[in-house]
Amino acid sequence: LQIVPPAVILFFYLIRHSGLSRILLVPFFLIIIILVKMFTGAFALDSLKYYQNWFDYVSERETWTDYINNFDVRTANSYAIADYLAARTGASEPIFVWGDASFVYVLANRPAATKFIQAHHLTTIPPANYDLIINRLKKYQPKFVVISRPGNFAFPALEVFVKKNYRLVNMFQDLYVYQNTAPINPPKFDVHYN
């Protein structure tokens, strides 16, 4: 659907400046209408299920766990790991999550130790950013590092760093929680990621 406006502008530009016949308008608009009809259904969400799920929860017909699992079976796990981390860290203590689980920061209400909150972002940026991550982890020594396993995003330097400074303390499905074994008074956490 996002291509429709520029396609319409291009079409009218071509008609005006290249002398294309106005008779092409009818087939063009028929094609646009058919494409819109085809793709509108493909991306539509059945939002009635979400409202029904919400209503069942607020009317106490289902439990909190049933409610959140209606979204995704991993949702209860997401809340469990967030509760675990929130109970063991202070509100301003950073954590580090490696993988595709950035929701942990939000649900735990904890700051990210680095500006890179999703591992897949690093697949398109300069490799020097891996060094930035390790340097920042060394500097601020987050109490917990969470790694999604099996890892889809190789980061050998992180594996070495975690093996040397952390120990596995818990697992939440595919999310492994490592706790710092020897923090040495890190400086006050700088949320500006300098």
Side-chain angles (χ1 to χ4, degrees):
L1 291 180
Q2 294 175 349
I3 197 166
V4 172
V8 169
I9 291 170
L10 176 64
F11 181 76
F12 282 107
Y13 175 82
L14 290 174
I15 286 177
R16 183 175 185 139
H17 295 290
S18 69
L20 286 176
S21 171
R22 293 183 196 271
I23 201 146
L24 292 176
L25 284 175
V26 173
F28 176 76
F29 281 111
L30 285 175
I31 291 170
I32 293 294
I33 290 169
I34 290 169
L35 289 174
V36 167
K37 289 284 189 188
M38 284 174 41
F39 288 109
T40 301
F43 300 109
L45 292 175
D46 183 11
S47 57
L48 183 61
K49 288 190 293 187
Y50 292 102
Y51 290 110
Q52 181 64 46
N53 184 38
W54 172 81
F55 183 77
D56 288 345
Y57 174 67
V58 297
S59 62
E60 298 181 355
R61 290 189 209 170
E62 65 182 14
T63 65
W64 168 251
T65 304
D66 293 334
Y67 171 70
I68 61 176
N69 280 336
N70 208 311
F71 296 100
D72 185 319
V73 294
R74 298 175 300 166
T75 307
N77 184 59
S78 303
Y79 278 92
I81 191 171
D83 291 344
Y84 178 87
L85 294 170
R88 289 160 179 79
T89 56
S92 62
E93 279 186 273
I95 59 174
F96 180 69
V97 179
W98 182 254
D100 284 332
S102 60
F103 50 80
V104 171
Y105 297 115
V106 175
L107 294 176
N109 196 24
R110 295 299 179 263
T114 75
K115 63 183 174 182
F116 303 104
I117 61 168
Q118 288 281 80
H120 70 268
H121 292 161
L122 290 170
T123 61
T124 59
I125 59 177
N129 286 307
Y130 289 104
D131 293 334
L132 291 174
I133 291 172
I134 294 298
N135 291 338
R136 188 142 173 108
L137 293 177
K138 285 178 181 176
K139 181 177 180 180
Y140 291 109
Q141 305 170 34
K143 187 174 184 179
F144 291 100
V145 169
V146 178
I147 300 177
S148 180
R149 298 200 186 280
N152 294 326
F153 306 99
F155 190 175
L158 177 65
E159 296 294 342
V160 170
F161 176 77
V162 168
K163 187 175 184 175
K164 182 179 175 184
N165 299 294
Y166 290 78
R167 67 181 168 85
L168 180 66
V169 291
N170 212 330
M171 293 182 296
F172 294 83
Q173 293 176 2
D174 63 332
L175 300 175
Y176 288 55
V177 181
Y178 296 87
Q179 185 171 357
N180 195 329
T181 56
I184 52 165
N185 299 327
K188 187 174 188 300
F189 179 67
D190 176 15
V191 74
H192 295 98
Y193 306 114
N194 295 331

